[in-house]
Amino acid sequence: MTKLHCIFMQGVKKPFREVIDVAWGDAQGAGIKPLTFVRQVLAACLYPQLLDSNRLPTDVKQKARGLLSECHGGSMGSYTDLPGIPQVAREISEYIARRDGGDPPKTGNIFISPGSQWALQNILNLLVHGHGEVRSGVLTPIPCHVTTIESLHSLGGVSVPYYLSEEHGWELQMEELNRALEYAKQVCAPVALYVVNPGNPPGHVQSKKSIQDVIRFALEKRLFLLVDEVYQDCVYADNVEFVSYKKVLAEMGPPFSDTVELASFHSASKGFLGEAGLRGGYVELVNMDPDVIKYACTIFSKDTAPTPGQIALSVLANPPRLGDPSYPLYEMETQQMQTMIKANVRRVHEVLDSLPGISCQPVEGGAFAFPRVDLPPKALQKAKEMGMEPDTFYCLRLLEESGAFITPGCEYGQKEGTYHIRFCIRSPGDVIEDFLGRLVTFHTQFMKEFS
Amino acid sequence: LANRVEKMSENGISRPKVLTLDTMNPTVKMVEYAVRGPIVQRAVELEKELSEGIEKPFTEVIKANIGDAQAMGQQPITFFRQVLALCSYPELLNLDNTFPEDAKNRARLILQSCGGSSLGAYSPSQGIDYVRQDVANYIERRDGGVPCDPDNIYLTTGASDGITTILKLLVCGQGIDRTGVMISIPQYPLYSAALAELGAVQINYFLNEDNCWSMDIQELQRAVNEARQHCHPRALCIINPGNPTGQVQSRDCIEDVIRFAAKERLFLMADEVYQDNVYAEGCKFHSFKKVLFEMGPEYSETVELASFHSTSKCYMGECGFRGGYMEVINMDDDVKSQLTKLVSVRLCSPVPGQALMDLVVNPPQPGEPSYNCFIKERTATLSALAEKAKLTEKILNTVPGIRCNPVQGAMYSFPCITIPDKAIKEALEKGQQPDMFYCMTMLEETGICLVPGSGFGQKRINEGFVVMTILPPIDKLTILLNKVKEFHQRFTKQYS
């Protein structure tokens, strides 16, 4: 992939107007505008003189004043204590209660961090024995985005893959989980199971039944559940709904609900906010040993989330409501975004379905399409000659010939002999249209060349 | 292997948890982070009690333990906040004359350098190119023209992120080959916490209290020789200006340290976050990079150095933004690739912090609309700090049983307090270090929260050290210092 990055970075001059980058899950980087309300609150907190003007709606001012009043010295420039600006922690707690029903979680079980991956690494740090003869292992899905795996490895942990089933819409299958765990026991001390729901890169949304099965598995096999739910607001298919692990766990009642240890992660980087650059994320801990939570406090207190990220989380957890002055605009912006992305997903399926040699499981949620490309033997041969993975070769050619930057499936893991590509569908509609056009042209030519 | 997975509870009632004190990562249990440790927790409890109306012998808790300037009332730099507000909500660029032209231009430039022209997009893991270029230019200007390659600049989530990342790269080996890292005592607890978490060997070298906490090469030599018997010393950490001691190392001393690091083959880590906080006459900040290069190629081409800076201290005090950078010199190329990989696990550092760092290294220039206001604010903040440094030293040295070295720089005083024997006895009976007992008692009686020196590694029999920031506004600081004086006299009398 370094080669692709290099070419991209060098601004290669080729037969296309400009490079189109749909490689990363970076909505704002792709051109989607931030939500007005978030940025108004942020600006008011940064420069409180704005609160005295009449440039900002009253609910913006109210929220900004509320947040600043709970910052030390009334300023965003101060450090924040664990678990962050108190209002933000409370809002996240109330958000979880609204989403899942039941009592709001104690704010002492919520830890805010500079992005969800940072929180995940902190929790992994508690779990993982990275030295000595027996190292801790975590079951991780294939395909999976790279960051978590690298994070785990950097702590000396072992990642043990379990394959998601492409033929079944990338669903998680219990027999495969069992197989993976049995294998894991031979190479490490398995301690946790990492699940991404909605998925990344495959866009499946886990059914309630599947979640129940996983929870049962975790209880029976004594695994700590790490659930990455950062795409919980990114659901597109009409007959599909996101339901949180926490909620399902609570509904299953004892012994599950008071035993299974669960860490769920969320972030302001995805969803409607898309504020990846602000670095705001959190983890909610369920059923964690209180003695261990004390150490979690020590670890998290060393790296508190930046205040702009906390402000983004505040809006995520407590957005404008019906009756608030900012509500109509907020509603319009979020609706427009959802409509556009749903349209993107439809277009992607439309186009890919009509292209021979590419097939794509339904993108029910998440930020990406992860279609499979059936590369002909001659292309495989060429890739081998060039010393690269076949799907990397495909992506490199795509970049060189059409200026479209995407990533190959080998970066995420895939079944032997299958090849995939990943691109972000949370981009402006015209960007997706442009990309699809280039992809179709390239793909047709490529398949012809290597037929 | 995997015993705990084999252990399945038979009847479904109350299974032992997967993650307990026994099963958790043992290195995390070694981590204590004094700056937010038990005394701070108690301070937070007391604040809560006060807010609930419970009566105390004080009306507010003063957290004079953490280097958080704005929490203590220091005002942010107007220009910085204006530009950040404009970057956050670019609609403001179109509005009339709320903002000066130079602030608007800067905001435009910064936004142009961001993906999708937004602070909300990810930046490259190493940081926004434009910002790294400006950081490189700043370093060159600061160091009198010594070249700085932007490729050696990494924008980090505060300086602590950069420091722990470099330490991660350095720590390896088993047993006698385990990495040892030299840190100064008194030290800033971030280092000991990071070393504990990484399972590295902490090698203490003592600063010389009698010479205003300067570094002492003989002491460095002693420490490293002793350490070689049980570990593999690989790094030497320096904080200059110092935390908590405030010492500003002389140029000669820095040269000696560089020679020492070269001879002993140690990776130098220079924490320079307080580089603008220099108050004492005759003291000047010299960057390790500059001195290194001025020592000629024998050193400048071989000694491995990482220097750290941040938006949290100096005159900015913008801790909440978690802005920082590190410059890495003479790092092995392969290791640099690993470094790039490590920072990518963080995805990127907070973009508002990167934007802020850009403004810090490239502030308003003479002739620009915001210049006068900027200079006025910066000067006021730094001179107030200088005044408070002097005042602190003065008042504390009038107290029998307290002696305080001059606060040459940074943001803290580090006075030495004599603790009466009876108090030491009571402390030990309570299972506390004497200086912790002193600070806890002070907290309960006055609401003033200081950090005991034992959190900083320094341990003596009937003397203790405490860390007190010089950050409160001068009138409040005066009251604070006098309260400390009164407390100390009372305490001494009570336990005599």
Side-chain angles (χ1 to χ4, degrees):
Chain A
M1 219 16 231
T2 326
K3 201 166 183 170
L4 265 172
H5 284 141
C6 286
I7 291 179
F8 182 64
M9 290 312 181
Q10 281 159 28
V12 61
K13 296 218 172 3
K14 284 289 177 176
F16 45 80
R17 312 164 294 293
E18 60 176 34
V19 175
I20 200 171
D21 180 0
V22 281
W24 317 115
D26 187 355
Q28 291 191 28
I32 292 189
K33 296 280 163 247
L35 296 175
T36 303
F37 186 75
V38 178
R39 297 310 190 83
Q40 286 175 328
V41 172
L42 184 55
C45 288
L46 285 164
Y47 191 59
Q49 283 85 328
L50 288 169
L51 293 170
D52 301 326
S53 74
N54 51 8
R55 307 200 180 294
L56 299 171
T58 50
D59 51 352
V60 167
K61 292 198 214 179
Q62 197 176 22
K63 194 162 180 84
R65 285 195 177 100
L67 288 165
L68 286 175
S69 72
E70 292 194 346
C71 292
H72 296 302
S75 168
M76 274 186 78
S78 307
Y79 285 118
T80 57
D81 303 322
L82 260 190
I85 299 170
Q87 175 174 326
V88 179
R90 280 193 311 269
E91 287 172 322
I92 292 175
S93 169
E94 285 156 18
Y95 162 79
I96 293 170
R98 275 195 318 275
R99 183 194 67 189
D100 297 341
D103 292 328
K106 289 203 206 102
T107 53
N109 287 334
I110 296 170
F111 292 88
I112 298 175
S113 56
S116 60
Q117 285 293 317
W118 198 303
L120 176 58
Q121 186 168 62
N122 284 350
I123 301 299
L124 285 172
N125 201 4
L126 290 169
L127 279 160
V128 167
H129 294 237
H131 318 289
E133 259 179 50
V134 180
R135 295 191 301 157
S136 306
V138 177
L139 296 174
T140 55
I142 291 234
C144 185
H145 65 107
V146 186
T147 313
T148 300
I149 313 272
E150 286 191 339
S151 197
L152 174 61
H153 290 171
S154 79
L155 291 168
V158 178
S159 58
V160 180
Y162 61 91
Y163 287 80
L164 300 175
S165 171
E166 182 164 16
E167 314 86 75
H168 297 101
W170 295 110
E171 75 177 15
L172 190 158
Q173 299 193 310
M174 296 314 298
E175 313 91 81
E176 171 55 18
L177 260 191
N178 274 292
R179 180 212 59 79
L181 180 61
E182 290 313 299
Y183 171 73
K185 291 185 207 170
Q186 296 167 40
V187 300
C188 64
V191 69
L193 166 59
Y194 176 66
V195 175
V196 184
N197 180 45
N200 173 7
H204 70 295
V205 176
Q206 235 182 326
S207 68
K208 188 162 163 177
K209 176 174 182 307
S210 174
I211 296 175
Q212 287 169 339
D213 289 343
V214 170
I215 289 173
R216 266 184 221 107
F217 180 78
L219 180 72
E220 191 190 310
K221 307 293 183 183
R222 289 177 42 74
L223 294 171
F224 193 107
L225 269 178
L226 300 164
V227 187
D228 191 335
E229 297 176 325
V230 299
Y231 294 108
Q232 56 189 268
D233 295 327
C234 306
V235 177
Y236 318 119
D238 289 323
N239 55 340
V240 162
E241 207 186 48
F242 167 80
V243 59
S244 76
Y245 265 73
K246 164 107 182 284
K247 181 174 189 190
V248 177
L249 180 65
E251 286 174 351
M252 285 169 81
F256 307 97
S257 56
D258 51 17
T259 313
V260 174
E261 290 143 271
L262 168 69
S264 12
F265 302 89
H266 195 16
S267 144
S269 302
K270 315 295 175 186
F272 297 110
L273 265 71
E275 297 285 11
L278 298 188
R279 315 311 300 126
Y282 75 80
V283 59
E284 183 198 357
L285 299 173
V286 180
N287 292 328
M288 196 179 217
D289 185 319
D291 289 331
V292 179
I293 291 206
K294 290 202 185 93
Y295 287 102
C297 289
T298 308
I299 297 204
F300 277 90
S301 70
K302 290 197 290 109
D303 300 302
T304 50
T307 44
Q310 296 193 38
I311 287 167
L313 285 173
S314 171
V315 178
L316 174 74
N318 189 12
R321 306 192 198 195
L322 188 59
D324 292 345
S326 299
Y327 181 75
L329 181 60
Y330 171 82
E331 182 68 5
M332 187 188 84
E333 288 174 343
T334 51
Q335 283 309 316
Q336 270 179 0
M337 209 185 293
Q338 183 72 344
T339 305
M340 180 180 75
I341 295 172
K342 274 182 156 172
N344 288 348
V345 171
R346 267 198 308 277
R347 269 305 276 157
V348 165
H349 282 302
E350 227 170 64
V351 169
L352 294 183
D353 284 347
S354 67
L355 258 189
I358 282 194
S359 60
C360 190
Q361 293 295 318
V363 176
E364 299 176 327
F368 304 97
F370 194 62
R372 177 170 151 168
V373 186
D374 296 320
L375 296 171
K378 281 193 182 161
L380 301 181
Q381 181 60 36
K382 180 78 185 195
K384 198 169 173 190
E385 283 165 24
M386 294 187 70
M388 58 177 75
E389 288 297 317
D391 39 20
T392 305
F393 172 60
Y394 181 93
C395 291
L396 188 61
R397 284 291 218 99
L398 175 66
L399 177 63
E400 286 176 340
E401 289 176 22
S402 75
F405 186 25
I406 62 177
T407 51
C410 59
E411 296 212 335
Y412 309 100
Q414 55 203 345
K415 244 191 187 141
E416 184 81 34
T418 66
Y419 309 103
H420 298 81
I421 53 173
R422 186 191 89 159
F423 57 90
C424 182
I425 44 96
R426 293 187 74 85
S427 313
D430 55 346
V431 170
I432 293 295
E433 203 55 49
D434 185 353
F435 165 71
L436 289 172
R438 299 188 200 198
L439 179 66
V440 170
T441 310
F442 165 78
H443 181 82
T444 314
Q445 232 165 309
F446 183 91
M447 294 307 241
K448 198 166 165 197
E449 182 185 337
F450 291 100
S451 64
Chain B
L1 277 170
N3 285 333
R4 61 186 102 87
V5 175
E6 300 296 346
K7 259 187 257 171
M8 274 169 52
S9 201
E10 290 84 61
N11 55 16
I13 303 169
S14 164
R15 290 147 209 267
K17 291 193 185 286
V18 173
L19 184 57
T20 64
L21 288 183
D22 292 329
T23 62
M24 68 180 275
N25 179 0
T27 58
V28 173
K29 280 196 272 190
M30 314 288 282
V31 178
E32 276 169 32
Y33 189 41
V35 177
R36 290 167 214 258
I39 200 157
V40 176
Q41 286 169 37
R42 180 66 189 139
V44 171
E45 274 169 33
L46 286 170
E47 269 179 330
K48 192 154 176 274
E49 288 179 22
L50 273 176
S51 71
E52 287 165 5
I54 300 175
E55 237 192 77
K56 295 278 164 194
F58 48 84
T59 51
E60 67 172 313
V61 172
I62 302 177
K63 295 222 208 72
N65 57 299
I66 193 164
D68 189 344
Q70 292 191 25
M72 289 282 144
Q74 181 175 306
Q75 292 302 300
I77 298 290
T78 303
F79 180 74
F80 294 168
R81 294 304 192 88
Q82 286 176 333
V83 176
L84 287 176
L86 287 163
C87 286
S88 301
Y89 186 47
E91 302 292 306
L92 297 170
L93 287 166
N94 305 325
L95 297 178
D96 52 43
N97 26 26
T98 313
F99 297 96
E101 270 316 301
D102 53 351
K104 290 186 181 181
N105 289 336
R106 290 303 204 90
R108 288 186 188 105
L109 281 170
I110 289 172
L111 286 176
Q112 248 170 50
S113 72
C114 296
S117 298
S118 168
L119 294 185
Y122 285 113
S123 80
S125 297
Q126 199 171 338
I128 298 171
D129 279 358
Y130 169 82
V131 178
R132 292 191 295 120
Q133 184 64 61
D134 279 353
V135 169
N137 293 343
Y138 161 78
I139 292 173
E140 278 188 20
R141 278 194 316 272
R142 180 197 68 189
D143 294 345
V146 173
C148 179
D149 182 354
D151 205 50
N152 291 334
I153 304 295
Y154 292 76
L155 301 181
T156 55
T157 306
S160 45
D161 175 30
I163 291 164
T164 48
T165 300
I166 296 293
L167 286 174
K168 266 194 189 138
L169 286 173
L170 281 162
V171 176
C172 67
Q174 303 292 332
I176 198 167
D177 193 49
R178 189 80 183 148
T179 297
V181 178
M182 299 181 71
I183 62 172
S184 58
I185 301 300
Q187 59 105 18
Y188 173 47
L190 163 76
Y191 288 89
S192 50
L195 295 178
E197 206 179 305
L198 290 167
V201 178
Q202 179 174 322
I203 304 169
N204 295 336
Y205 66 88
F206 290 85
L207 299 175
N208 189 346
E209 186 189 351
D210 298 330
N211 192 18
C212 212
W213 302 112
S214 65
M215 291 178 78
D216 184 337
I217 297 299
Q218 278 181 325
E219 167 57 16
L220 284 177
Q221 193 67 63
R222 176 212 63 76
V224 82
N225 291 348
E226 198 270 343
R228 287 201 194 282
Q229 294 170 40
H230 59 91
C231 71
H232 186 150
R234 285 198 173 90
L236 167 58
C237 299
I238 299 112
I239 308 178
N240 181 47
N243 175 2
T245 52
Q247 90 280 8
V248 178
Q249 300 297 345
S250 71
R251 201 215 147 82
D252 285 345
C253 185
I254 294 175
E255 279 193 22
D256 288 344
V257 170
I258 291 172
R259 267 184 220 107
F260 174 79
K263 176 170 87 96
E264 300 292 335
R265 292 182 38 78
L266 298 168
F267 191 110
L268 267 175
M269 293 175 65
D271 182 341
E272 297 173 328
V273 301
Y274 298 101
Q275 54 192 264
D276 295 332
N277 297 115
V278 176
Y279 318 122
E281 287 289 320
C283 285
K284 190 173 169 217
F285 170 73
H286 301 278
S287 77
F288 264 77
K289 162 103 178 286
K290 178 178 189 205
V291 177
L292 177 67
F293 274 68
E294 288 174 353
M295 286 169 75
E298 181 195 345
Y299 296 98
S300 63
E301 285 175 11
T302 58
V303 175
E304 290 144 272
L305 166 69
S307 336
F308 307 91
H309 195 21
S310 127
T311 60
S312 303
K313 314 295 177 186
C314 296
Y315 64 90
M316 302 80 75
E318 300 281 19
C319 313
F321 291 90
R322 318 301 293 118
Y325 75 73
M326 61 183 173
E327 182 187 13
V328 179
I329 300 291
N330 292 326
M331 186 179 256
D332 175 283
D333 282 334
D334 290 333
V335 176
K336 221 164 169 215
S337 311
Q338 291 301 314
L339 171 60
T340 302
K341 203 161 117 189
L342 251 189
V343 301
S344 74
V345 168
R346 295 281 185 239
L347 293 156
C348 68
S349 67
V351 176
Q354 295 187 40
L356 178 57
M357 184 53 90
D358 189 69
L359 300 171
V360 169
V361 299
N362 191 8
Q365 293 302 302
E368 290 174 355
S370 301
Y371 178 72
N372 288 339
C373 179
F374 168 75
I375 279 297
K376 188 158 151 240
E377 289 174 346
R378 180 177 190 265
T379 307
T381 296
L382 287 175
S383 57
L385 283 167
E387 203 186 329
K388 291 187 278 193
K390 281 212 186 72
L391 181 73
T392 299
E393 183 198 339
K394 178 164 150 251
I395 293 184
L396 289 177
N397 279 324
T398 66
V399 186
I402 298 185
R403 68 169 188 274
C404 185
N405 261 330
V407 178
Q408 292 180 339
M411 288 177 174
Y412 317 91
S413 63
F414 193 62
C416 180
I417 47 165
T418 306
I419 304 176
D421 290 337
K422 277 195 187 157
I424 295 177
K425 190 155 170 278
E426 189 169 327
L428 296 176
E429 277 166 19
K430 286 197 164 131
Q432 280 181 346
Q433 291 293 330
D435 47 16
M436 171 66 91
F437 175 66
Y438 180 88
C439 289
M440 278 293 195
T441 313
M442 187 189 294
L443 177 62
E444 300 286 346
E445 289 184 15
T446 68
I448 298 170
C449 178
L450 309 182
V451 184
S454 50
F456 288 79
Q458 193 86 337
K459 285 187 175 83
R460 291 194 189 171
I461 312 282
N462 70 339
E463 281 183 347
F465 285 86
V466 293
V467 183
M468 191 167 96
T469 63
I470 59 167
L471 295 172
I474 200 149
D475 44 356
K476 214 168 185 181
L477 181 65
T478 311
I479 295 171
L480 189 72
L481 289 165
N482 282 308
K483 282 212 170 112
V484 170
K485 180 173 177 169
E486 281 162 25
F487 168 81
H488 185 83
Q489 288 164 336
R490 220 170 41 236
F491 185 87
T492 306
K493 196 167 171 195
Q494 183 184 347
Y495 287 97
S496 63

